[in-house]
Amino acid sequence: MQLQPTQKQRQLAQVHKFGGSSLATAERFVAVADIITQQDQTQPIWVVVSAPGDTTDALLHIIANAEQPAACNSAVMALQQQLTALVSNTLGPAAAQQVLTQLQHWVAEIPDALAQHKFNDVLAIGERLSALLLSEVLRQRAFSALAIDAREFLRIKHYQPDWPTSAELLTELTQAAAIYVVTGYIARDDNGHSITLGRNGSDYSATLLGALVNAATVTIWTDVKAIYSADPRKVKRAVPYQHVSWSQACQLAQLGNPVLHARTLSPLTNTNTALVVRSSYEPQYAGCRVMQQDASQQGFLTELSDVTLLTLHQEAAVTAAELALDLQQPVVALPQQGENVSWLLPTVCAERALTYLDELNINAVWDTQRYYALAFLKPYSHFSVNVVEPLLQWQGVLHRYENAQQVIWLLAEPLAADVLEDVHHRLLQARPVLKVIVAGTGNVGAEFLAMLSAQQQRLATVVQLELVAVLNSRQAVLEHNIDIGNWSDALAKGSRWDHKILTTYLNALPGAKVLIDITPSRSFATLYPTMIAAGCDIVSANKQGVTLPGAEYQLIRQTLAMHQRQWLSNTTCGAGIPVQRTLHELLDAGDEIIEISGIFSGTLSWLLCQFDGSTRFSDFVLQAQAGGLTEPDPRDDLSGTDVQRKLLVLARELGLALELDDIVLQPLLPQGLEQGSWQDFWSHRTQLDDAMAQQYRQAKQDGKVLRYVASLALHNGKAVAKVALEHVCTAHALAAIAPCDNVFVIRSKWYSDNPLVLKGPGAGRVVTAGGLHADLAVLIKQLVAKASLPAATALT
């Protein structure tokens, strides 16, 4: 398809299509207006609407009774009352009167239109009312909105869009800074007569418009939140996909899928426009993107009821697609067997199909048997369906057709609900696959990958763990099924990457995926929203994400909610001690957190447990540095900033809107020593040694010990947070710890007298890597549960 240059140069726009169920009531019109006004207003917004609710059915009933005046008039009056009530309930009196005046005018024209057999003009009333009413709702909210009758620009010639004429006419209608609300389903032919675009023509209108306005996205808002592996109304465990390849979407459309329809995709093929399916009832979910560059495949099970077979010679000068275009119904070309081809089509249009073929002097044999068809689109070409063959043969398969892309079984009767559920389970939920992306290949990253290799083998019967990316700050290897045992060799052969390369790769990955962030990078953490939108759950040891400024942190949380993803970050605070999980469990059970305190730094824990006043404190710092317990510059640990960040992590887990600067910080390092080089510090270390010696003497005199403590107290909705060196009573839980241990003390409404104490090693690459695997195990359990498989005891 080639558009006019003026259209290619048009500013990128967005198109949103709303069906009749999305506009069935006054409340639905308000909900749709909410969705539209929340879109990016810097791009032109085009909205395509269907008739409200069952209006088109009512208009068809009026047309069917055109020769019976009494019945026709009664139907017209009933429809007018119904639509009048809709308008009156949606708008205030003054605005409603303007719309009602126009509605009355359209209704008054129905008798003349029926007399002149202008049935399509009658059918257009529903879409025209939706466009007018929705544009008025938007204007009442002070948005510039314009209702457009698609017949003013959309021209169809011999079933195909007349692109040049349509583009030219549309340009004449375009105004600056407006939301355009366009009628779906209707257009004009090359003679200027009103026509309809057939079954589900509003979706087709939306993609035609998307091509004309060079849309960045066309969003089909419907009553389901994604494209599913099967009809979710019939298969309870149908899987909602976030991404579907264009080729499979076309196959689904040809099979009469209730979400995608045969002609919907054609205007956007080979364009840069993305097609998105979302729920207007649950707009918080991101829906499913149909991707033209995605070569990955999903598995789909779909049904066709009351269909029949036509058989004709393979050299017949007509295609199934051409017949479907004439019938405005799906026609499925079955895998060829012998010299003949067979087409599957709805029984109700078989006679029309024979007439069409007869006019072309094509002989076709009609198998008058009515069939129920079950079609399965394979996730990959060599996928075996043997697991369901015995079950389906027991149901009485009459014919079976298979090629590399799909299998179709024809039966005399529809499958019972439990059988259909069983077939879906056997084909699509045999063993879940989790794709793993690892960012960060330092000590902890290498340890995590070593553990992952063992986990992959241990859990092989429950879940398939597939390493699909390993990256560090310099390069990345992005490919399927990386050999975990040789990840370092694969990475050495990798290439430079940036966030666009990574995001494009993640978007193209089908199925469940998890990002393991073991970097210390703030810039990488800012990419979380795009990676979540690409379908990733996140397990992180990177504190930078959890401690970003409030607005950036909330954006991550909002994106998680929209895409129904999780962010597990127990290793950001406590090296995997499940303190965050414990807090969530208490809150979910109805408890109330009063205070959290503890020792959050394994490094400072070691230093203060070792320091006994007999040796200079700086000597222990030097030992810790040599033993790898500190950052390369130990002053990063002595500053207390790391502990401050960890306390912010816990505060945000409790839903508190704190920033890092809201936490009072007393560093171990005397003021001024943080400046200059490490050598500068070392020459002035006596300041640190004298300060710590004085603190130790005072604590010992009082019968206490030194501990570097973080505390968060909640009282009357207010939070007091601080990080400081404290003198702790030797009977306190914070005193009785081993070197390098972390300890968390949680006081709550239920545990006020006997606080919960969580203790464990707070340093070491094995500990942290193990904590990451503990979070990963949580996601694996959930994935296995969704697949309805018993979790292996090894996961518990």
Side-chain angles (χ1 to χ4, degrees):
M1 176 190 69
Q2 295 295 323
L3 297 186
Q4 296 297 304
T6 55
Q7 298 308 313
K8 287 187 175 182
Q9 295 163 6
R10 189 188 296 272
Q11 179 186 359
L12 283 178
Q14 50 184 308
V15 175
H16 300 268
K17 180 267 175 179
F18 295 92
S21 62
S22 297
L23 299 165
T25 65
E27 292 76 17
R28 294 307 310 155
F29 269 87
V30 171
V32 167
D34 290 340
I35 291 171
I36 295 168
T37 55
Q38 291 167 11
Q39 304 306 312
D40 182 0
Q41 302 295 319
T42 63
Q43 290 182 336
I45 297 177
W46 295 80
V47 182
V48 176
V49 291
S50 298
D54 58 359
T55 300
T56 299
D57 289 339
L59 291 167
L60 286 168
H61 179 65
I62 290 170
I63 294 169
N65 287 279
E67 303 299 327
Q68 303 176 46
C72 184
N73 291 338
S74 176
V76 169
M77 290 179 61
L79 179 60
Q80 184 170 4
Q81 291 175 358
Q82 176 184 331
L83 296 181
T84 298
L86 173 64
V87 174
S88 299
N89 292 333
T90 305
L91 296 171
Q97 188 54 53
Q98 298 178 34
V99 177
L100 289 174
T101 298
Q102 183 61 70
L103 174 61
Q104 291 164 5
H105 175 70
W106 289 333
V107 172
E109 292 179 330
I110 289 178
D112 285 343
L114 292 176
Q116 299 175 49
H117 289 184
K118 294 183 177 180
F119 300 139
N120 290 331
D121 288 333
V122 175
L123 289 173
I125 291 174
E127 277 71 21
R128 296 176 77 184
L129 176 64
S130 285
L132 182 61
L133 180 53
L134 183 57
S135 64
E136 189 58 44
V137 173
L138 293 168
R139 281 195 289 270
Q140 295 301 306
R141 300 186 180 196
F143 285 85
S144 176
L146 176 67
I148 297 179
D149 187 330
R151 294 175 298 178
E152 295 182 41
F153 68 89
L154 190 54
R155 296 292 178 266
I156 304 296
K157 189 174 183 179
H158 303 304
Y159 298 114
Q160 298 296 331
D162 182 346
W163 294 111
T165 302
S166 298
E168 182 179 351
L169 292 171
L170 183 59
T171 300
E172 296 172 2
L173 296 172
T174 304
Q175 299 180 7
I179 299 173
Y180 306 99
V181 187
V182 182
T183 57
Y185 182 60
I186 56 176
R188 292 195 189 279
D189 62 19
D190 51 336
N191 294 317
H193 299 141
S194 294
I195 60 171
T196 65
L197 300 180
R199 175 178 174 267
N200 303 107
S202 292
D203 288 1
Y204 186 38
S205 298
T207 53
L208 287 170
L209 181 60
L212 286 168
V213 301
N214 190 28
T217 57
V218 173
T219 303
I220 305 294
W221 294 89
T222 181
D223 55 359
V224 294
K225 64 184 181 183
I227 300 174
Y228 284 77
S229 59
D231 188 338
R233 295 166 297 185
K234 297 180 179 180
V235 179
K236 294 180 181 179
R237 290 188 173 87
V239 179
Y241 292 132
Q242 289 190 320
H243 304 100
V244 172
S245 71
W246 199 266
S247 62
Q248 281 198 307
C250 290
Q251 291 178 64
L252 281 173
Q254 291 165 4
L255 289 168
N257 182 273
V259 177
L260 296 171
H261 308 288
R263 291 178 302 161
T264 300
L265 294 154
S266 59
L268 302 182
T269 301
N270 298 322
T271 71
N272 293 321
T273 302
L275 182 67
V276 183
V277 175
R278 296 181 68 178
S279 170
S280 64
Y281 292 83
E282 300 177 283
Q284 68 272 27
Y285 300 133
C288 178
R289 296 178 73 87
V290 182
M291 306 180 66
Q292 302 206 39
Q293 290 76 35
D294 187 1
S296 62
Q297 303 285 287
Q298 311 279 20
F300 293 93
L301 196 66
T302 191
E303 301 171 281
L304 296 87
S305 294
D306 197 10
V307 289
T308 192
L309 283 171
L310 290 184
T311 301
L312 56 162
H313 196 271
Q314 63 180 349
E315 295 180 358
V318 68
T319 66
E322 290 169 335
L323 179 59
L325 193 60
D326 184 83
L327 297 177
Q328 298 293 291
Q329 293 286 346
V331 178
V332 181
L334 297 171
Q336 187 170 340
Q337 297 179 344
E339 294 183 351
N340 294 327
V341 294
S342 295
W343 295 342
L344 199 64
L345 68 161
T347 303
V348 294
C349 59
E351 294 280 7
R352 286 169 48 207
L354 288 173
T355 300
Y356 172 83
L357 294 171
D358 187 58
E359 291 173 353
L360 297 174
N361 294 317
I362 296 173
N363 182 47
V365 177
W366 176 20
D367 177 353
T368 55
Q369 167 80 44
R370 292 187 168 190
Y371 295 104
Y372 160 84
L374 183 67
F376 176 63
L377 296 190
K378 301 177 182 180
Y380 47 88
S381 60
H382 57 281
F383 185 93
S384 173
V385 297
N386 290 339
V387 290
V388 298
E389 293 293 0
L391 175 62
L392 289 175
Q393 291 302 326
W394 183 258
Q395 302 301 313
V397 173
L398 301 176
H399 299 285
R400 182 185 184 279
Y401 302 86
E402 181 174 7
N403 61 18
Q405 290 78 42
Q406 64 186 26
V407 186
I408 296 178
W409 297 272
L410 300 185
L411 300 93
E413 299 291 339
L415 294 179
D418 59 335
V419 176
L420 183 63
E421 192 86 47
D422 194 5
V423 170
H424 179 271
H425 174 79
R426 295 187 189 198
L427 286 173
L428 292 167
Q429 296 177 304
R431 185 178 62 147
V433 178
L434 180 60
K435 294 178 171 60
V436 181
I437 301 100
V438 178
T441 56
N443 289 337
V444 175
E447 190 65 43
F448 174 85
L449 286 161
M451 292 182 181
L452 185 64
S453 180
Q455 293 286 69
Q456 186 184 51
Q457 297 177 39
R458 187 168 66 92
L459 303 178
T461 60
V462 179
V463 64
Q464 179 181 340
L465 294 178
E466 181 182 343
L467 184 63
V468 296
V470 179
L471 55 139
N472 55 31
S473 61
R474 299 174 300 282
Q475 60 199 69
V477 52
L478 308 175
E479 59 186 51
H480 293 276
N481 281 315
I482 300 169
D483 182 354
I484 299 178
N486 293 307
W487 67 267
S488 57
D489 292 340
L491 183 61
K493 299 174 184 176
S495 56
R496 300 292 298 176
W497 65 277
D498 58 31
H499 73 279
K500 290 183 179 179
I501 293 172
L502 179 61
T503 302
T504 299
Y505 177 69
L506 294 179
N507 272 311
L509 284 175
K513 44 200 160 184
V514 57
L515 167 70
I516 313 294
D517 181 7
I518 320 175
T519 74
S521 170
R522 176 191 173 106
S523 61
F524 191 75
T526 62
L527 301 179
Y528 282 3
T530 59
M531 290 185 279
I532 294 164
C536 291
D537 290 299
I538 295 179
V539 171
S540 68
N542 183 0
K543 288 182 285 293
Q544 296 289 347
V546 196
T547 58
L548 286 168
E552 294 179 64
Y553 175 76
Q554 288 304 321
L555 175 61
I556 297 174
R557 286 293 176 192
Q558 291 164 9
T559 310
L560 288 165
M562 173 180 287
H563 294 270
Q564 295 182 281
R565 301 262 69 88
Q566 295 187 73
W567 179 14
L568 304 180
S569 54
N570 278 284
T571 49
T572 60
C573 181
I577 298 173
V579 59
Q580 287 129 293
R581 203 172 303 144
T582 302
L583 291 175
H584 284 302
E585 289 173 355
L586 291 173
L587 294 173
D588 290 344
D591 201 354
E592 180 182 331
I593 305 301
I594 298 172
E595 182 180 17
I596 305 172
S597 60
I599 297 170
F600 295 2
S601 169
T603 300
L604 298 183
S605 171
W606 185 88
L607 287 171
L608 292 172
C609 283
Q610 297 294 333
F611 182 53
D612 60 1
S614 63
T615 304
R616 291 178 302 186
F617 188 79
S618 60
D619 289 343
F620 289 111
V621 172
L622 202 60
Q623 288 181 41
Q625 183 186 37
L629 295 179
T630 71
E631 296 295 329
D633 187 336
R635 289 177 297 176
D636 293 338
D637 298 289
L638 299 175
S639 71
T641 304
D642 183 61
V643 177
Q644 187 185 30
R645 286 199 185 96
K646 291 177 180 178
L647 189 59
L648 181 59
V649 169
L650 296 186
R652 287 183 168 172
E653 289 290 339
L654 297 177
L656 300 175
L658 290 186
E659 299 289 353
L660 198 63
D661 291 342
D662 295 327
I663 300 174
V664 176
L665 173 65
Q666 177 195 328
L668 274 183
L669 204 62
Q671 187 173 3
L673 292 188
E674 75 279 3
Q675 304 295 326
S677 66
W678 172 250
Q679 289 73 21
D680 294 334
F681 160 77
W682 196 248
S683 63
H684 296 88
R685 67 185 184 279
T686 54
Q687 296 180 41
L688 172 64
D689 292 333
D690 292 346
M692 292 303 299
Q694 182 180 349
Q695 291 280 359
Y696 180 82
R697 287 193 297 270
Q698 184 62 54
K700 186 175 182 180
Q701 181 180 332
D702 296 338
K704 297 180 179 181
V705 294
L706 295 179
R707 295 292 183 264
Y708 197 68
V709 179
S711 64
L712 172 68
L714 304 175
H715 183 68
N716 293 331
K718 294 184 178 179
V720 176
K722 66 175 182 177
V723 174
L725 181 68
E726 294 188 7
H727 298 183
V728 177
C729 175
T730 54
H732 196 281
L734 299 183
I737 63 170
C740 292
D741 269 5
N742 280 353
V743 60
F744 299 86
V745 180
I746 302 173
R747 290 182 62 241
S748 69
K749 188 175 180 179
W750 296 351
Y751 297 93
S752 57
D753 296 329
N754 295 293
L756 291 175
V757 178
L758 303 177
K759 187 186 299 185
R765 64 185 185 182
V766 174
V767 172
T768 305
L772 289 167
H773 273 283
D775 277 350
L776 180 60
V778 172
L779 293 178
I780 292 173
K781 281 185 179 181
Q782 294 171 352
L783 184 64
V784 170
K786 287 179 182 178
S788 303
L789 291 174
T793 54
L795 289 175
T796 60

PDB file of all heavy atoms in Angstrom, residues 21 66 218 239 319 326 370 381 398 415 494 601 675 742 745 777:
ATOM      1  N   SER A  21     -20.094  -2.135  22.884  1.00  0.00           N
ATOM      2  CA  SER A  21     -20.188  -2.448  24.314  1.00  0.00           C
ATOM      3  C   SER A  21     -19.484  -1.393  25.162  1.00  0.00           C
ATOM      4  O   SER A  21     -19.858  -1.158  26.317  1.00  0.00           O
ATOM      5  CB  SER A  21     -19.589  -3.828  24.591  1.00  0.00           C
ATOM      6  OG  SER A  21     -18.210  -3.866  24.266  1.00  0.00           O
ATOM      7  N   ALA A  66     -39.448  -2.861   7.032  1.00  0.00           N
ATOM      8  CA  ALA A  66     -39.746  -1.684   6.207  1.00  0.00           C
ATOM      9  C   ALA A  66     -41.082  -1.803   5.484  1.00  0.00           C
ATOM     10  O   ALA A  66     -41.764  -0.796   5.241  1.00  0.00           O
ATOM     11  CB  ALA A  66     -38.615  -1.458   5.209  1.00  0.00           C
ATOM     12  N   VAL A 218      -2.550   2.235  16.736  1.00  0.00           N
ATOM     13  CA  VAL A 218      -4.001   2.098  16.647  1.00  0.00           C
ATOM     14  C   VAL A 218      -4.400   1.178  17.796  1.00  0.00           C
ATOM     15  O   VAL A 218      -3.943   0.029  17.866  1.00  0.00           O
ATOM     16  CB  VAL A 218      -4.454   1.497  15.302  1.00  0.00           C
ATOM     17  CG1 VAL A 218      -5.961   1.218  15.331  1.00  0.00           C
ATOM     18  CG2 VAL A 218      -4.112   2.437  14.159  1.00  0.00           C
ATOM     19  N   VAL A 239      -4.513 -17.843  28.475  1.00  0.00           N
ATOM     20  CA  VAL A 239      -3.355 -17.009  28.796  1.00  0.00           C
ATOM     21  C   VAL A 239      -3.451 -15.677  28.043  1.00  0.00           C
ATOM     22  O   VAL A 239      -3.568 -15.663  26.815  1.00  0.00           O
ATOM     23  CB  VAL A 239      -2.045 -17.720  28.397  1.00  0.00           C
ATOM     24  CG1 VAL A 239      -0.841 -16.844  28.715  1.00  0.00           C
ATOM     25  CG2 VAL A 239      -1.939 -19.071  29.097  1.00  0.00           C
ATOM     26  N   THR A 319      -9.134 -17.069  -5.017  1.00  0.00           N
ATOM     27  CA  THR A 319      -8.520 -17.427  -3.731  1.00  0.00           C
ATOM     28  C   THR A 319      -9.555 -17.352  -2.621  1.00  0.00           C
ATOM     29  O   THR A 319     -10.611 -16.724  -2.767  1.00  0.00           O
ATOM     30  CB  THR A 319      -7.354 -16.491  -3.389  1.00  0.00           C
ATOM     31  OG1 THR A 319      -7.875 -15.163  -3.175  1.00  0.00           O
ATOM     32  CG2 THR A 319      -6.323 -16.464  -4.513  1.00  0.00           C
ATOM     33  N   ASP A 326     -15.708 -10.944  -0.787  1.00  0.00           N
ATOM     34  CA  ASP A 326     -17.047 -10.818  -1.358  1.00  0.00           C
ATOM     35  C   ASP A 326     -18.126 -11.171  -0.334  1.00  0.00           C
ATOM     36  O   ASP A 326     -19.154 -10.492  -0.243  1.00  0.00           O
ATOM     37  CB  ASP A 326     -17.179 -11.723  -2.581  1.00  0.00           C
ATOM     38  CG  ASP A 326     -18.520 -11.555  -3.276  1.00  0.00           C
ATOM     39  OD1 ASP A 326     -18.643 -10.616  -4.075  1.00  0.00           O
ATOM     40  OD2 ASP A 326     -19.448 -12.352  -2.994  1.00  0.00           O
ATOM     41  N   ARG A 370     -22.610 -29.986   8.472  1.00  0.00           N
ATOM     42  CA  ARG A 370     -22.267 -28.848   9.323  1.00  0.00           C
ATOM     43  C   ARG A 370     -21.232 -29.305  10.353  1.00  0.00           C
ATOM     44  O   ARG A 370     -21.435 -30.304  11.041  1.00  0.00           O
ATOM     45  CB  ARG A 370     -23.514 -28.303  10.027  1.00  0.00           C
ATOM     46  CG  ARG A 370     -24.504 -27.655   9.075  1.00  0.00           C
ATOM     47  CD  ARG A 370     -25.628 -26.988   9.826  1.00  0.00           C
ATOM     48  NE  ARG A 370     -26.424 -26.141   8.950  1.00  0.00           N
ATOM     49  CZ  ARG A 370     -27.360 -25.296   9.372  1.00  0.00           C
ATOM     50  NH1 ARG A 370     -27.616 -25.188  10.667  1.00  0.00           N
ATOM     51  NH2 ARG A 370     -28.041 -24.563   8.521  1.00  0.00           N
ATOM     52  N   SER A 381       7.060 -24.363  14.382  1.00  0.00           N
ATOM     53  CA  SER A 381       6.654 -25.203  13.264  1.00  0.00           C
ATOM     54  C   SER A 381       6.679 -26.698  13.575  1.00  0.00           C
ATOM     55  O   SER A 381       5.853 -27.453  13.076  1.00  0.00           O
ATOM     56  CB  SER A 381       7.538 -24.911  12.042  1.00  0.00           C
ATOM     57  OG  SER A 381       8.897 -25.176  12.337  1.00  0.00           O
ATOM     58  N   LEU A 398     -13.871 -35.939  12.438  1.00  0.00           N
ATOM     59  CA  LEU A 398     -14.295 -36.372  11.107  1.00  0.00           C
ATOM     60  C   LEU A 398     -13.235 -36.083  10.053  1.00  0.00           C
ATOM     61  O   LEU A 398     -13.074 -36.852   9.105  1.00  0.00           O
ATOM     62  CB  LEU A 398     -15.604 -35.673  10.731  1.00  0.00           C
ATOM     63  CG  LEU A 398     -16.784 -35.932  11.686  1.00  0.00           C
ATOM     64  CD1 LEU A 398     -17.992 -35.107  11.269  1.00  0.00           C
ATOM     65  CD2 LEU A 398     -17.127 -37.414  11.730  1.00  0.00           C
ATOM     66  N   LEU A 415     -17.103 -29.131  21.374  1.00  0.00           N
ATOM     67  CA  LEU A 415     -16.523 -29.785  22.540  1.00  0.00           C
ATOM     68  C   LEU A 415     -17.186 -29.277  23.808  1.00  0.00           C
ATOM     69  O   LEU A 415     -17.517 -28.084  23.923  1.00  0.00           O
ATOM     70  CB  LEU A 415     -15.024 -29.517  22.617  1.00  0.00           C
ATOM     71  CG  LEU A 415     -14.134 -30.107  21.515  1.00  0.00           C
ATOM     72  CD1 LEU A 415     -12.684 -29.718  21.753  1.00  0.00           C
ATOM     73  CD2 LEU A 415     -14.278 -31.615  21.437  1.00  0.00           C
ATOM     74  N   GLY A 494      30.065 -10.768  22.704  1.00  0.00           N
ATOM     75  CA  GLY A 494      28.919  -9.875  22.560  1.00  0.00           C
ATOM     76  C   GLY A 494      29.294  -8.538  21.961  1.00  0.00           C
ATOM     77  O   GLY A 494      30.428  -8.310  21.527  1.00  0.00           O
ATOM     78  N   SER A 601      24.197  -2.772  57.602  1.00  0.00           N
ATOM     79  CA  SER A 601      25.455  -2.844  56.864  1.00  0.00           C
ATOM     80  C   SER A 601      26.324  -3.944  57.435  1.00  0.00           C
ATOM     81  O   SER A 601      26.767  -3.874  58.592  1.00  0.00           O
ATOM     82  CB  SER A 601      26.202  -1.510  56.926  1.00  0.00           C
ATOM     83  OG  SER A 601      27.521  -1.657  56.439  1.00  0.00           O
ATOM     84  N   GLN A 675      36.514  14.341  51.785  1.00  0.00           N
ATOM     85  CA  GLN A 675      37.105  15.098  50.700  1.00  0.00           C
ATOM     86  C   GLN A 675      38.479  14.529  50.331  1.00  0.00           C
ATOM     87  O   GLN A 675      39.156  13.891  51.131  1.00  0.00           O
ATOM     88  CB  GLN A 675      37.263  16.573  51.107  1.00  0.00           C
ATOM     89  CG  GLN A 675      35.968  17.243  51.545  1.00  0.00           C
ATOM     90  CD  GLN A 675      34.976  17.344  50.422  1.00  0.00           C
ATOM     91  OE1 GLN A 675      35.354  17.524  49.263  1.00  0.00           O
ATOM     92  NE2 GLN A 675      33.684  17.241  50.754  1.00  0.00           N
ATOM     93  N   ASN A 742      23.618  -8.861  59.602  1.00  0.00           N
ATOM     94  CA  ASN A 742      22.566  -7.851  59.596  1.00  0.00           C
ATOM     95  C   ASN A 742      21.491  -8.295  60.567  1.00  0.00           C
ATOM     96  O   ASN A 742      21.278  -9.493  60.767  1.00  0.00           O
ATOM     97  CB  ASN A 742      21.931  -7.706  58.210  1.00  0.00           C
ATOM     98  CG  ASN A 742      22.760  -6.850  57.277  1.00  0.00           C
ATOM     99  OD1 ASN A 742      23.754  -6.255  57.673  1.00  0.00           O
ATOM    100  ND2 ASN A 742      22.366  -6.815  56.014  1.00  0.00           N
ATOM    101  N   VAL A 745      14.820  -5.395  63.498  1.00  0.00           N
ATOM    102  CA  VAL A 745      13.865  -5.499  64.608  1.00  0.00           C
ATOM    103  C   VAL A 745      12.589  -4.788  64.191  1.00  0.00           C
ATOM    104  O   VAL A 745      12.608  -3.583  63.886  1.00  0.00           O
ATOM    105  CB  VAL A 745      14.441  -4.889  65.896  1.00  0.00           C
ATOM    106  CG1 VAL A 745      13.423  -5.001  67.034  1.00  0.00           C
ATOM    107  CG2 VAL A 745      15.745  -5.575  66.272  1.00  0.00           C
ATOM    108  N   ALA A 777      12.631 -17.658  43.002  1.00  0.00           N
ATOM    109  CA  ALA A 777      11.791 -18.814  43.319  1.00  0.00           C
ATOM    110  C   ALA A 777      10.342 -18.410  43.542  1.00  0.00           C
ATOM    111  O   ALA A 777       9.419 -19.162  43.205  1.00  0.00           O
ATOM    112  CB  ALA A 777      12.332 -19.530  44.553  1.00  0.00           C
TER     113      ALA A 777
END
